[in-house]
Each structure stands twice: as structure tokens, then as C-alpha cells.
Amino acid sequence: MISKLGEKPEPSPFSMPLVPPGCRRQVAEIAVNAPVSRLFHYQIPPALAGRLELGHRVAVPFGRRSSTGVCVGFPEEAQVKDLKAIQEILHPDCRFDAHLLELTRWIAEYYHASWGEVLEAALPPGIRSGNEGRRRLFILPQRSAAELLQEAQRLENKARSQSRLLRHLALHPEPQLLRPLLEELPATRESLAALKAKGWIATDMLVLPRSPRASPAAADQGTSSPGSPGGQPLGPGEKRRFELHPDQQRALEMISSALEAAPGAALPPILIHGVTGSGKTEVYLRALERALRAGGRGLVLVPEISLTPQTVKRFQDGLPDAPVAVLHSLLSDRRRAEEWQDIQSGRVRLVIGARSAVFAPIPDLRLIIVDEEHEPSYKQESSPRYHGRDVAILRAHLLKIPIVLGTATPSLESYQHARAGKYRLAEMPKRVTRHDLPAIAVVSLNQDFYRADGGGLICAQLDFQIRECLRRKEQAILFLNRRGFSTFLHCVRCGFVLRCRYCDISLTYHRCEGFTQCHYCDARYEVPRSCPECQAGSLRRAGVGTEKIEEVISRRYQGARVSRLDRDAVKNHQTLHSILEKFASGETDILVGTQMLAKGLDFPRVSLVGIISADTGLQFPDFRSAERTFQLITQVAGRAGRGERPGRVIVQTFFPDHYAIRFALKNDYRGFFEAEIEHRRALGYPPFGRLAKVLVQDEKAERGQKAAAELAGRLRAAAAGDGGGRVEVLGPALAPITRLEERHRFQILLKAPTAALLQRVLKNAGVHAGGRMSREVIVDVDPQTML
């Protein structure tokens, strides 16, 4: 990252200036939504000559089909003589500004993706599909106000209807709804057609603007806030503040000094390392209040959709006069498109969302906050494979605004940057609630855990604590990072394991719906009556998922109200909101769930957390497995004791002596960091080096293996030359998951001391040389998983 390690990428393949001086705007340069690394020139037809702007999304002919793309420049000369013409401007009221074009161009270069595909991914699905809201026919003036008035005066005695139209448009140059305007003036459709034929006006189907958004406080009073409040005071929000803890105050002062820094000043990211319950959200709120009071806007990124409803409420309560927009994948396509348009128009002051919200077109952005910055879910696992946190850091760097990274368990990379002085560090080691961090006890598991009747899933100590919790009318969270009822089905006679037809993955049994499912390609299968291999009897269920935990808990604790929070239970935004609301209101006693529970949720009635198995990811073939385990245990444990009741945590594990678990039990982040960082240093893994994972996928194993070997050879040659022997190329080897979606997978891993060196080797090896990107080759820069 530029702002991360001070390294700039190699020269861009998109090196043409975005708007060359003196351009005639007869030719447009388009980043086409296709897996290609070059840009394409298109002719601007006369009908679009006065309307096409930088950042507009357009429809263009591409090969034998039509495609979409974004206008990224106006070159003086075309690449070829006979240019194809742009077909149309898509939703002209929504376009990328120069800042977002620069940001997406960097993403394309750094993560080895097509610029057009990055731009397409930056838009919400509703806009991409055309479902961005109600469309109406609008009139758009095509000349300057002075020219319109001059022509209106000339037509005053010849064509009064045309004159009235032109005069109105000169005074109101914004797009006008056609039917109401004709009725208001009045003017005839004949006059409209005449002016359109002469090029004075144009008509287009545009999205009907939404009514002004009401702020939460204004909505309560039945009034609406202005669409662009600028630097107005926040009103009722001033009443609610209480005195900050000294650690909170120091963190806030650090952010405030960055907000008040001279324009253009270097602003390193601020890392807030605060234990769970230390009041990080209150610091965010007060920092945002200061940014908004100065006339700016804010962006808050959260790692999981499960955070969004509660997070939105916290910020609405804390900033009652700030209209808030929400962006995440459980919203309908139309709702996301409408939120995006409200953001671009300046109707909102604060944007809260998951990873893709980093692309929100926010005017006057003054402060970015990345909550739970350590979370791997900030990394996109499909093209373009960007990291939301790192893109946010770059966005802040480009805009020269502060960015705050907050977490109780910093990623090793971020904490090392803070220790090295590249980030500023604010420590918040104490809770602001009346109780300290919860007491944690560890219980060693044995083979009874896998008893078929589920009787060994809850140890005696956890069982006692659950019963006490229920007796006291308190709430409990039970965590297991595995979905489904049983994680695999096998034959006890021949050892056969039921696997996905398309992937080298065992199938998970979902009892509620009566099928097995691959959690990678989502294929579903009926449960076979007998072993497909030996035909001798039915398959036995093995392994444990959250669905089984829910059933066991409901059966064991009669009368307890039990609910489940995982991706199987959450079908849409309404379901998610309902589950969380019932738990927050006390209608649910025990909440069973996966890592969705671990991400900053705050329920004051929770006094007990039980971690059913702390080992689910500990033995993964991934250098980050210990870090992920430490983070999960610490984060889940932090859900207990956040209110008036003290908290207790029971951790069940097969590996009680593993250093990740030992340090998590003591909530000793620094101890874990010092132990883990030495492993990373010895092996040259991040933060002491940079990685790129190259996957070759092919339906035919032999062909894929041959292609991977050839690509590895080119990478080694580039590493020996341009890399100066400092870039290590490992593989090819079979990927840990050898087959996905009917494709065999071969993995190559690159390790380099710097990002610039890594990028140079990837580029010179010709991973997508000649402007071609094979869909069978995946380049993952800064991968967050080795699977």
C-alpha cells in the first residue's frame, strides 16, 4: 500500500492522463467491463457529444456483443481509424468522480484486475442491472443559459411555446420532469419536439429523485433536515455526552489533531487498540461529530453484516441530526442503489457499511473509520480481490484525511506498523463499564465430545454455568464456527465419506431442510439411503455444527428460548434484524452462532459465553491460523460482562496448551504478538514480507498442472532477473482444496521483501501479458487465506 509501506506501484498500464489538456471530446477512452488490461477508444456520437462526462458508465460494442464500461478520459488522437461508437450513457445522473477513478485504477494495478471490472464491482447491483429506482422522462438543456435566453428572445413572437420552454430551462438548468413542466408553463409536445430536433434540448429517462432524507432526530419530530447541511450544528446531539475515560480522551485528541491538521499534511493512519468494552465506539462518535460539525461527512466500515443494524442504531442515537445511509449485501438491489444515489447527492452525512462501502461516492469526506480492522472478511475473495481496509487507507491517503483503525485484536501487520512508527497508536487497555474483562476458564475436551447423541458437547462446567445463567434470568452466547448439523457423513464399514460432485470437499448435513450441502459451491444433494460405495447400510453423521448445538441446547434446557445466528438462519436483512432484536429485548435466552457473533455486538444482559470448540481453525494449513484463533476467542469472550452483570467465559478445547489459546485466556495481546511475530520473522511472512498467491484452475488436471509449471517457470525467471534473487517462488503444488466447481487447482506462492518487488516480478512474468487475463489464472495479492 502507498500509505502502508511507503511504496508506490510500478508504472501503470493505464498511464494516460484522465483528462488531457485541449481535448476535443470526439473520442472517449473506455475501461470496458471485461478481463482485459488495456483501455479502448470509442467515437462519441453527436447525440452524446455535449452530455458525456468523465466517469459516466456507458454501453459499448465489444467484439460480437455489447458490454458496459466507464469513460476514463478524452484522448486527442484515437488508437485506430475506424472507431466504433458509444451506444448510450447509462444512468447519466450517477457517475464516478476523479477521486474514485484514481482509487479504482490503483486497485486494478495493485491487485491485477481489469480496471473496467473494478469499476463495475464498485457500483451497487441495482445500478448495474438498471434497478436503481423509479425512472421518469426528463428534459435536459443542451446549451448555455445565455444561449438559451438569446434563442428564447428570438422566438418570442414566432413560437411562444418554444420560447417559454427555453427561458425556463435557462433559469433552471437542472433536469426537469417532462410532463409536469409542460403542464406548468404551459408548453406543447410539438414545441418540445421542434427544440429537440434543432439540438437545443434532449430528453432522457432518469431516476426520479427521492424526497429529502430526514435525520433520526428530525424524523422523531415529524420534520426533515436539509439535504446539504454544510457546517450547521448537530443540535440535540450536544446534550447526550458524558465524561470520557482518560484513555478515550487521549484517543479522541489524537484524531482531533489529525482533523485539524493543515491541508495537505501527511496523516498516518491511527490505530486504536482497545480491549472489548473499552468505549471505542464513543470515541468514533465524538470524532465523527467534530468532522460533521466542520461541514464534512464520514464513512464507517464494519466487517460483517451482523454488525450493521446495531451499529446503525448506535450512530443514529449518538448523532441524531446526521442522516445515515447503509450499504451491505442483505439489502435489496433497489434499496442499495437508492442509498448510493442519496450518498452521491449529499443527502446523507454518514455512510455505514461493509467492505464495498469503501467505494461510496461521498462528497466532502473528512473522516474514515474501519472498525474491527483485523477481520479477514474485509478481503474480497472473488475478482477484484481487494482488501477493504487497505483500500480505505489509500482513499484517506489520496484525500489527505484521517483514517482510524479500531480493534481489540489488531492484525499483526497493523500493530507492527504502529510499533515501527508508520501508524499512530492509541491504547485503551481498560473497560469503561463497572466490571473488568470476564473471567475465562478452559476445559480440555476428549472423545466424548463426538458422541452420536450430542451428550458430550457441553462439559459439566459449562452446563452448570448455563443453568445458573438461566436461573438468574441472564443471557448466554454459545459459539461454534461451523454451520450445519453434521460436518460430514461417512460409512463405518468401508470408510466412504460423502463428497461434493464438483469439489474435493465433504458435504455438510443440514437436518432442518433434510439435505447435504457443499459450503464452497452451494450444491445441494439428497441424503443417500445407503452407502454409495458398498451399499451396506446408512451413512453415519459425524462432526458438529451450530444446528446440532441448537437442537442439543433446546432439548437439554427445557423452557429456555434458544435462537441461532449463522448464514443459514439469516436469509435476509429482516431475518437478521429480527434475531438481533429479540436477543437485545430479552426474548431470547441463549443465542447459538458462528463468527457472526464475534464482531462487536453489544448485549448488556449477556453474562456467559461458551466456546464449544476453540480449535476449528487452529490446524488449518495457513500461517494465520494461530492469529485467527486468538482473535476469535478474544472477540467472542468480549461479548460477556458488558453491562451491569460480571461476565464468565468457558473455553472448550482439545489443545489447551497451544500458545494462541493460552494468551487468549489471559487476554494478553502483546504476549501473543511477541510469540507469533518471531515465527513470521523467521519465515519472511507478513509483516516482514509480501505475498501473492497464484492459482491455476482447469477442468483437466494434466493441462492445469502443465500450465501451472509453465507459469511458475516464468515467475522464477522474472524473480532471478528483476527480483534480484530476493523473490521466492514456491510451487506449483496441489492447492489445499484440490478441486472446486469441477476445476483442479494448482497453487504457486510468491514471497518478496517489498510490495514493489513483488509487483515487478508479477508484471514481468507476464501473468496477464499482452492485454489478456485468463479466467483460469487467479492472482491474489496479499492473500488472507492459503486455502
Side-chain angles (χ1 to χ4, degrees):
M1 296 272 327
I2 292 176
S3 58
K4 193 170 177 181
L5 295 179
E7 302 166 350
K8 293 188 177 180
E10 290 294 300
S12 167
F14 317 115
S15 56
M16 180 171 291
L18 292 178
V19 185
C23 64
R24 294 171 294 174
R25 298 205 172 191
Q26 296 177 346
V27 176
E29 191 162 42
I30 306 297
V32 177
N33 177 27
V36 292
S37 59
R38 54 165 292 198
L39 303 175
F40 294 87
H41 288 179
Y42 286 87
Q43 179 188 2
I44 303 174
L48 303 181
R51 299 168 52 202
L52 182 66
E53 298 290 341
L54 197 71
H56 268 143
R57 185 167 176 259
V58 296
V60 294
F62 190 72
R64 297 181 180 179
R65 61 185 177 88
S66 180
S67 184
T68 60
V70 174
C71 176
V72 296
F74 297 101
E76 292 182 330
E77 295 183 2
Q79 295 168 332
V80 295
K81 291 184 179 179
D82 298 323
L83 292 179
K84 295 180 180 179
I86 295 172
Q87 295 167 333
E88 64 173 316
I89 299 173
L90 304 171
H91 38 74
D93 44 340
C94 296
R95 65 187 184 93
F96 292 96
D97 61 18
H99 162 66
L100 285 176
L101 288 176
E102 184 179 8
L103 182 72
T104 52
R105 181 168 64 179
W106 183 91
I107 292 171
E109 297 166 6
Y110 186 81
Y111 292 105
H112 292 259
S114 154
W115 191 7
E117 290 182 318
V118 174
L119 287 163
E120 191 76 3
L123 290 169
I127 289 180
R128 297 201 299 261
S129 64
N131 184 26
E132 66 265 45
R134 293 178 295 165
R135 286 182 171 271
R136 295 291 186 272
L137 192 60
F138 281 76
I139 302 174
L140 298 86
Q142 299 297 293
R143 306 287 179 86
S144 69
E147 290 174 309
L148 292 172
L149 285 172
Q150 185 177 359
E151 181 66 6
Q153 187 175 359
R154 190 182 72 81
L155 294 173
E156 182 70 36
N157 297 321
K158 298 179 181 180
R160 292 186 178 180
S161 181
Q162 293 181 38
S163 177
R164 283 195 295 271
L165 260 174
L166 293 175
R167 195 177 300 278
H168 180 88
L169 292 173
L171 298 175
H172 306 280
E174 66 276 4
Q176 302 284 316
L177 270 169
L178 186 147
R179 182 179 293 179
L181 181 59
L182 294 183
E183 293 174 355
E184 177 187 343
L185 289 177
T188 65
R189 288 189 176 271
E190 289 75 16
S191 61
L192 177 75
L195 291 173
K196 187 175 178 181
K198 291 185 287 186
W200 287 98
I201 64 171
T203 59
D204 203 349
M205 296 293 291
L206 301 180
V207 176
L208 187 66
R210 298 171 74 189
S211 56
R213 295 175 70 112
S215 68
D220 290 341
Q221 301 165 13
T223 60
S224 60
S225 61
S228 182
Q232 296 180 13
L234 295 178
E238 297 175 11
K239 301 179 194 176
R240 63 169 191 90
R241 295 302 189 229
F242 50 83
E243 187 174 351
L244 291 178
H245 187 277
D247 294 333
Q248 290 176 301
Q249 188 63 45
R250 281 190 288 270
L252 179 61
E253 288 171 359
M254 188 180 292
I255 302 170
S256 298
S257 66
L259 284 167
E260 296 164 3
L267 297 173
I270 296 170
L271 175 63
I272 297 181
H273 176 207
V275 298
T276 56
S278 60
K280 295 185 289 294
T281 301
E282 184 64 27
V283 174
Y284 302 159
L285 281 167
R286 300 208 189 187
L288 284 164
E289 185 179 67
R290 296 185 183 189
L292 270 55
R293 194 183 301 281
R297 290 176 170 82
L299 170 63
V300 179
L301 294 182
V302 292
E304 275 284 351
I305 53 175
S306 63
L307 269 175
T308 305
Q310 194 176 60
T311 302
V312 171
K313 188 176 188 313
R314 287 185 198 170
F315 282 93
Q316 286 178 335
D317 291 346
L319 301 169
D321 276 9
V324 176
V326 181
L327 293 172
H328 62 79
S329 61
L330 284 187
L331 296 176
S332 68
D333 287 355
R334 178 170 172 176
R335 171 73 184 280
R336 289 167 72 182
E338 290 174 343
E339 293 286 85
W340 200 87
Q341 290 161 349
D342 279 359
I343 294 165
Q344 187 176 52
S345 67
R347 291 189 182 98
V348 300
R349 307 287 308 276
L350 179 64
V351 178
I352 302 173
R355 178 179 58 230
S356 61
V358 74
F359 298 114
I362 307 170
D364 301 318
L365 182 59
R366 297 286 181 87
L367 178 62
I368 300 175
I369 291 170
V370 182
D371 195 25
E372 309 293 354
E373 67 84 26
H374 66 280
E375 266 300 315
S377 57
Y378 278 123
K379 183 70 189 288
Q380 173 103 342
E381 292 302 330
S382 59
S383 186
R385 290 173 167 78
Y386 67 92
H387 197 299
R389 176 200 61 203
D390 294 350
V391 172
I393 291 173
L394 177 68
R395 187 169 186 181
H397 173 83
L398 294 173
L399 293 173
K400 307 214 180 302
I401 62 172
I403 181 168
V404 178
L405 314 177
T407 177
T409 53
S411 66
L412 264 69
E413 292 91 331
S414 292
Y415 199 71
Q416 177 64 18
H417 291 330
R419 295 213 316 181
K422 295 173 182 175
Y423 293 179
R424 299 183 69 188
L425 178 63
E427 297 272 14
M428 294 168 55
K430 296 180 180 179
R431 280 191 164 182
V432 294
T433 56
R434 59 179 295 184
H435 297 292
D436 205 347
L437 291 165
I440 305 179
V442 63
V443 176
S444 297
L445 294 174
N446 54 40
Q447 289 306 310
D448 283 346
F449 182 77
Y450 292 112
R451 280 168 46 186
D453 63 356
L457 293 175
I458 306 296
C459 68
Q461 189 172 350
L462 180 55
D463 175 75
F464 173 79
Q465 291 296 338
I466 292 174
R467 294 184 188 279
E468 284 295 298
C469 180
L470 294 172
R471 184 183 62 80
R472 295 191 300 265
K473 307 296 185 183
E474 296 170 357
Q475 291 177 303
I477 285 176
L478 300 180
F479 169 81
L480 178 66
N481 207 23
R482 283 285 183 273
R483 294 156 50 202
F485 190 87
S486 301
T487 52
F488 66 99
L489 284 79
H490 69 108
C491 176
V492 294
R493 178 174 177 178
C494 71
F496 171 82
V497 174
L498 192 63
R499 292 183 176 274
C500 177
R501 188 178 305 146
Y502 311 108
C503 308
D504 186 24
I505 293 293
S506 60
L507 296 172
T508 299
Y509 174 59
H510 293 259
R511 185 172 180 175
C512 286
E513 300 187 45
F515 60 76
T516 59
Q517 183 178 17
C518 174
H519 284 175
Y520 283 84
C521 73
D522 289 332
R524 296 184 176 189
Y525 307 85
E526 292 184 357
V527 180
R529 293 177 179 271
S530 60
C531 174
E533 192 75 18
C534 69
Q535 310 298 321
S538 60
L539 298 176
R540 177 176 293 180
R541 304 181 201 125
V544 182
T546 48
E547 192 181 335
K548 185 170 184 177
I549 297 296
E550 181 186 26
E551 183 197 73
V552 168
I553 294 299
S554 298
R555 189 172 65 240
R556 179 178 288 198
Y557 307 102
Q558 296 292 325
R561 297 165 297 178
V562 183
S563 189
R564 176 163 51 92
L565 182 66
D566 58 27
R567 291 193 179 275
D568 298 319
V570 176
K571 303 298 184 184
N572 51 49
H573 182 58
Q574 289 74 23
T575 308
L576 169 65
H577 189 73
S578 174
I579 293 171
L580 294 178
E581 276 294 305
K582 287 181 178 179
F583 195 60
S585 65
E587 295 178 52
T588 302
D589 300 313
I590 301 174
L591 186 60
V592 177
T594 59
Q595 61 183 349
M596 294 178 77
L597 289 172
K599 315 292 173 45
L601 292 171
D602 191 346
F603 297 107
R605 294 186 181 92
V606 174
S607 61
L608 175 66
V609 166
I611 299 178
I612 304 301
S613 174
D615 316 318
T616 50
L618 193 56
Q619 303 304 320
F620 278 2
D622 193 315
F623 72 92
R624 286 193 173 93
S625 60
E627 180 183 12
R628 298 281 185 255
T629 299
F630 174 85
Q631 290 168 340
L632 267 177
I633 294 174
T634 304
Q635 292 285 345
V636 177
R639 302 314 105 205
R642 298 171 74 95
E644 295 300 313
R645 303 165 175 86
R648 294 191 64 83
V649 180
I650 307 295
V651 178
Q652 300 183 162
T653 175
F654 285 99
F655 304 97
D657 294 326
H658 193 285
Y659 67 95
I661 292 175
R662 283 192 290 105
F663 285 118
L665 297 180
K666 297 184 291 184
N667 197 51
D668 184 1
Y669 175 82
R670 289 188 181 178
F672 172 77
F673 176 86
E674 295 297 344
E676 179 68 10
I677 204 73
E678 291 308 313
H679 298 312
R680 302 282 184 93
R681 194 193 311 271
L683 296 172
Y685 281 126
F688 301 106
R690 305 303 283 270
L691 300 181
K693 181 176 68 176
V694 181
L695 274 173
V696 177
Q697 300 186 143
D698 201 296
E699 293 178 358
K700 295 182 181 291
E702 291 184 7
R703 189 172 63 189
Q705 187 175 24
K706 182 178 179 181
E710 187 272 335
L711 180 55
R714 298 205 317 262
L715 287 166
R716 286 192 174 90
D722 299 298
R726 293 187 295 158
V727 178
E728 191 175 357
V729 180
L730 305 174
L734 283 172
I737 300 175
T738 59
R739 191 170 65 100
L740 276 181
E741 298 180 335
E742 297 189 284
R743 290 190 173 194
H744 300 271
R745 307 167 80 237
F746 302 89
Q747 184 167 296
I748 305 166
L749 185 66
L750 280 74
K751 295 167 62 177
T754 66
L757 201 56
L758 184 69
Q759 293 288 342
R760 191 179 308 142
V761 169
L762 284 169
K763 178 183 176 182
N764 292 340
V767 174
H768 51 86
R772 299 180 63 188
M773 290 183 179
S774 171
R775 290 193 183 273
E776 296 174 347
V777 176
I778 295 172
V779 181
D780 189 359
V781 178
D782 300 333
Q784 294 298 298
T785 174
M786 294 291 105
L787 298 181

